[in-house]
Amino acid sequence: MKLAFDTGGTFTDFAMTDDDGTILLHKVLSTPDAPARAVLQGVDELLAKVRANHAGRADTRGTLQILGATTVVTNAVLERRGVNTAFITTDGFQDMLRIRTEGRYDLYDLRIQYPEPLVSRELCFGVVERIAADGTVITALDEEGVRAIGRTLVERKVDSVAVCLLHAYKYAQHERRVAELLAEVAPKISVSLSSTVCPEVREYDRASTTVANAYTRPMMVGHVSHLERELSQRGIDGQLLWMTSSGGVVPSSAASRTPVRLIESGPAAGAVAAADYARRAGEASVLSFDMGGTTAKLCLIPNGQPMVANELEVARHARFRKGSGFPLKIQSIHMIEIGAGGGSIAARNRLGLLGVGPRSAAAAPGPACYGRGGTEPTVTDADLLLGYLDEKSFLGGDFALDRAAAEAAMARLAKELDITPERCAWGIHDMVNESMAEAASMQATDSGVDPRALPLIAFGGAGPVHAYGVARKLGIRKVICPLGAGVTSAIGLLGAPVAADLSTSLPMRLSAWDPKAVDALKAALQAQGREVVLASQVPADRIGFSYTVDMRHVGQGYEISVALPELDPADPAFLNELLARFHANYVALYGRAVAGTDAEVITWRIRASGPKHEVSLAGLRGEAGAVRDPRKGTRPVFFSELGKYALTPVYDQYALLPGVPVVGPAIIEQRESTVVMGPNASASLDAEHNLIMLLS
């Protein structure tokens, strides 16, 4: 048995596989002040369902495996709610977090701004030491100076410290000694070493990654410990695994040690699930669209696999402007995330016009229609008033919506804008669709893909509600709304493999190739990866390894990713194949080749992984029960093509039969989400009971 949870900004989603193959889905409101509370509530409610369905059967809670995706790390960084953190670096580099790379994301903005570093200037310390780029110790570590810094950290009530010394990505002895000395004088302070968190070149990027890890590590340790303790008290002693940003799950020990790798945890789970849905639907490449209560995520999935990047940027000061946020050197599924979710708040902007987001009502107080104290109109309120959602059938009727509260909130904003409430609601819905279409178009264009050629897979609580509008703006003709769309990320966790992604920088020119050094490096990475995967109870003979490297022409400033050949590094054919792959990738990316220059490897990467698990969605169809009339009734729904509200049929997706067409306009309800289908579309279920919508 497996139980997966995905903690989102508004809802915490659950998916559970029972021993007989049944998949149970569930949602509860998130509890941002204490995320574990919502998780435990959902676990208790799901287990109660299992006990009710299987009365008299032996209790299997002890063997239940728990898989989690969390926003604890993300929210701590974005909302600046991490712990009191210090930064220790080589003396003279104390201002690294503020100087950054001295680059500018806008050359002509004289008032250019960046997010304030996560560590205050008075908690940035320099320690006397110096190791040269070739490993020569120029200045020995001042150990008494480190002890003095440790005592200062205690006095200033620091909870966590990030250590990033010059060239420690390759020569880590001074960093390790700093950790030992801090343990002597400040044993309660959490220590994150750059040589452990991010052993890669580029000082500022490495420091930024290590600081984010230190800033969130005590919180993640506490969250994991609390969950494990509470689950144990409930008789659940199975292993707790966590989704990383690169699409694999790792044990709690690894998640607590490097929480920065979990910063895109939930969105990664959704992308993994979308890739599975695409494969089941027979689609080679798709655009994944995940819209929840707080954010929307768009991910290009070419050839059945999400694109994985070797770096990530968070907390951008300027939306869509690379270089305006905190760089993180972690492997992450490449996606665009914007502050456009069901809880995004609409308001009159500085120009006197309608604006939506990025502020969110989140779970507390939530949209006005949740009846929990929210008074500002949100996207969910607009969708309710437009007829896309129904106050009585939201979440299968378990969560009644307050239409009067939504109307009152919308009327106040409409009065400010001097427009009708109906026009205000449509403006909110359409503006959010436009923002997401723009983001999707940018990502596809950056990747050299025409978005019109891709099907759109829509999921998340609000994804299917907005998919029709987004697809129309992008010129997409096919939309796939999977069964269980509202909790797709949780379903993705059920099938995710155990996987550890590790890296280290060891610059090496191909003209000075050293096969022995390569073998030693691969063996070291392999041992580290094997340790993580074995800790997740994967048999040693089921562990696989794959390698990539970051390469460039000598003299260039940035690298591209190249898969290592599966040959002996001492074989001359290895270098020939590696160089051929590099040139092919370079031409594909930049459109031209560079002749007459040597190439070099900068960073080496490994993925150690266990087998991927197949999740059959057949168990979901059991929720439909006996065959019944799929038509639930009608309700007034606004469609811009008609310019008015039209009495529209409402269907139950669980009761529809595969291959039977539904002609738009129509509303098709799942328990956890709702599909809006306009008048220029038709749809039917495929063999997996996923809804395939075709736009004319």
Side-chain angles (χ1 to χ4, degrees):
M1 293 174 63
K2 289 184 176 183
L3 189 154
F5 67 87
D6 172 31
T7 301
T10 304
F11 283 97
T12 297
D13 301 337
F14 297 85
M16 181 177 178
T17 56
D18 205 352
D19 286 342
D20 59 6
T22 300
I23 298 179
L24 300 176
L25 307 180
H26 194 52
K27 289 175 88 81
V28 303
L29 276 172
S30 294
T31 48
D33 59 320
R37 190 164 72 244
V39 174
L40 295 168
Q41 175 190 341
V43 169
D44 289 340
E45 292 171 0
L46 267 178
L47 290 179
K49 282 186 181 181
V50 172
R51 286 192 291 270
N53 292 342
H54 301 284
R57 195 185 65 179
D59 195 346
T60 57
R61 285 178 296 172
T63 60
L64 181 64
Q65 186 182 66
I66 308 288
L67 304 108
T70 180
T71 54
V72 167
V73 182
T74 310
N75 291 343
V77 173
L78 297 182
E79 300 172 12
R80 310 187 79 85
R81 292 192 290 107
V83 301
N84 191 24
T85 304
F87 176 59
I88 296 177
T89 186
T90 302
D91 191 36
F93 290 78
Q94 292 93 314
D95 289 309
M96 185 193 308
L97 301 180
R98 282 156 182 80
I99 294 175
R100 299 168 65 94
T101 63
E102 296 187 326
R104 298 169 64 86
Y105 62 87
D106 188 335
L107 290 175
Y108 305 105
D109 185 354
L110 299 180
R111 295 183 176 86
I112 193 167
Q113 293 183 322
Y114 297 90
E116 188 65 21
L118 299 175
V119 179
S120 62
R121 179 60 183 83
E122 58 269 21
L123 289 180
C124 294
F125 301 91
V127 61
V128 175
E129 68 86 35
R130 195 61 175 259
I131 298 179
D134 62 0
T136 303
V137 177
I138 299 173
T139 304
L141 178 66
D142 178 6
E143 297 193 353
E144 189 50 45
V146 176
R147 293 189 179 94
I149 291 172
R151 290 189 285 268
T152 300
L153 299 182
V154 174
E155 292 171 3
R156 298 188 184 180
K157 298 181 179 179
V158 167
D159 301 297
S160 186
V161 60
V163 182
C164 181
L165 304 183
L166 203 62
H167 302 304
Y169 67 88
K170 188 175 180 182
Y171 308 105
Q173 61 267 37
H174 282 182
E175 277 199 356
R176 289 194 290 265
R177 182 55 181 158
V178 168
E180 294 170 357
L181 294 169
L182 291 177
E184 293 177 10
V185 297
K188 294 183 179 180
I189 295 179
S190 173
V191 179
S192 294
L193 302 181
S194 73
S195 53
T196 300
V197 175
C198 178
E200 297 187 31
V201 297
R202 298 191 176 90
E203 300 305 318
Y204 171 65
D205 291 1
R206 181 158 55 93
S208 177
T209 307
T210 309
V211 165
N213 195 78
Y215 189 69
T216 58
R217 185 178 178 187
M219 297 178 67
M220 190 63 190
V221 169
H223 182 57
V224 168
S225 300
H226 177 61
L227 270 180
E228 290 184 331
R229 183 171 60 253
E230 290 291 332
L231 292 172
S232 180
Q233 290 176 0
R234 288 164 169 75
I236 302 172
D237 296 319
Q239 194 173 36
L240 178 58
L241 301 174
W242 298 88
M243 172 64 72
T244 66
S245 301
S246 57
V249 294
V250 296
S252 291
S253 56
S256 298
R257 186 167 57 250
T258 52
V260 70
R261 297 184 183 276
L262 276 65
I263 202 161
E264 289 292 326
S265 180
V272 169
D276 283 343
Y277 282 128
R279 178 175 51 80
R280 292 171 185 271
E283 298 290 348
S285 301
V286 296
L287 180 64
S288 164
F289 169 43
D290 176 5
M291 184 177 177
T294 307
T295 58
K297 285 78 64 177
L298 296 130
C299 177
L300 187 64
I301 302 177
N303 302 316
Q305 292 295 329
M307 297 174 65
V308 177
N310 295 328
E311 59 186 6
L312 175 69
E313 191 173 62
V314 298
R316 285 179 174 170
H317 188 275
R319 183 180 175 188
F320 298 143
R321 297 302 296 272
K322 185 177 181 180
S324 66
F326 299 134
L328 302 178
K329 293 289 288 184
I330 61 170
Q331 288 193 286
S332 173
I333 290 177
H334 181 52
M335 62 186 76
I336 288 182
E337 185 169 336
I338 61 175
S344 294
I345 295 171
R348 185 173 182 266
N349 63 23
R350 289 179 297 177
L351 298 176
L353 304 175
L354 176 65
V356 184
R359 284 195 309 130
S360 174
C369 62
Y370 282 11
R372 297 165 62 87
T375 58
E376 296 180 279
T378 67
V379 173
T380 297
D381 295 308
D383 290 342
L384 173 64
L385 298 181
L386 292 168
Y388 303 148
L389 303 177
D390 181 70
E391 62 266 34
K392 296 179 181 179
S393 61
F394 190 70
L395 292 187
D398 292 343
F399 193 112
L401 298 179
D402 187 341
R403 174 177 284 271
E407 289 173 342
M410 196 65 63
R412 284 192 292 272
L413 177 59
K415 185 177 181 180
E416 288 184 43
L417 297 169
D418 194 25
I419 58 177
T420 65
E422 291 78 12
R423 185 178 178 189
C424 187
W426 170 250
I428 292 170
H429 179 89
D430 192 54
M431 183 172 287
V432 167
N433 290 350
E434 184 65 40
S435 295
M436 291 181 291
E438 179 188 1
S441 180
M442 287 178 61
Q443 187 186 28
T445 301
D446 287 347
S447 303
V449 175
D450 183 352
R452 294 173 296 182
L454 299 175
L456 184 74
I457 293 189
F459 55 95
V465 178
H466 290 260
Y468 173 76
V470 173
R472 283 187 66 210
K473 290 179 180 294
L474 288 170
I476 289 175
R477 299 301 179 192
K478 184 175 185 179
V479 177
I480 302 171
C481 298
L483 203 63
V487 294
T488 291
S489 290
I491 294 172
L493 279 162
L494 295 176
V498 173
D501 293 286
L502 302 166
S503 62
T504 189
S505 289
L506 178 65
M508 184 182 298
R509 295 190 180 192
L510 299 195
S511 60
W513 188 252
D514 186 348
K516 291 184 178 179
V518 173
D519 284 336
L521 183 145
K522 289 177 63 177
L525 288 174
Q526 204 175 95
Q528 295 176 46
R530 184 184 292 108
E531 181 182 358
V532 174
V533 179
L534 287 175
S536 303
Q537 300 176 1
V538 174
D541 60 352
R542 301 295 302 279
I543 300 175
F545 301 94
S546 59
Y547 301 90
T548 60
V549 290
D550 298 350
M551 291 184 67
R552 67 187 184 191
H553 289 290
V554 173
Q556 291 183 329
Y558 293 93
E559 302 83 46
I560 64 173
S561 182
V562 181
L564 272 185
E566 295 181 355
L567 298 169
D568 185 341
D571 187 337
F574 182 100
L575 275 184
N576 293 334
E577 177 63 20
L578 179 60
L579 191 59
R581 293 183 181 186
F582 169 64
H583 286 154
N585 290 7
Y586 195 94
V587 170
L589 187 60
Y590 297 114
R592 61 185 294 269
V594 177
T597 64
D598 196 4
E600 62 183 344
V601 174
I602 300 298
T603 300
W604 309 71
R605 304 183 185 279
I606 185 175
R607 164 166 274 214
S609 60
K612 192 174 185 338
H613 306 285
E614 289 293 328
V615 178
S616 172
L617 297 182
L620 273 177
R621 300 200 290 274
E623 293 197 4
V627 176
R628 61 184 188 275
D629 186 356
R631 184 154 170 165
K632 300 173 67 174
T634 59
R635 66 172 180 256
V637 180
F638 180 85
F639 291 101
S640 63
E641 301 96 318
L642 304 176
K644 62 180 181 179
Y645 285 83
L647 198 62
T648 303
V650 180
Y651 297 90
D652 179 357
Q653 183 168 341
Y654 287 102
L656 290 171
L657 297 176
V660 178
V662 175
V663 179
I667 299 294
I668 303 171
E669 294 184 338
Q670 302 180 17
R671 184 185 181 279
E672 298 78 18
S673 189
T674 299
V675 181
V676 174
M677 187 168 68
N680 297 322
S682 62
S684 63
L685 299 187
D686 66 8
E688 292 280 337
H689 280 233
N690 301 312
L691 188 75
I692 311 298
M693 186 195 313
L694 301 176
L695 282 68
S696 59

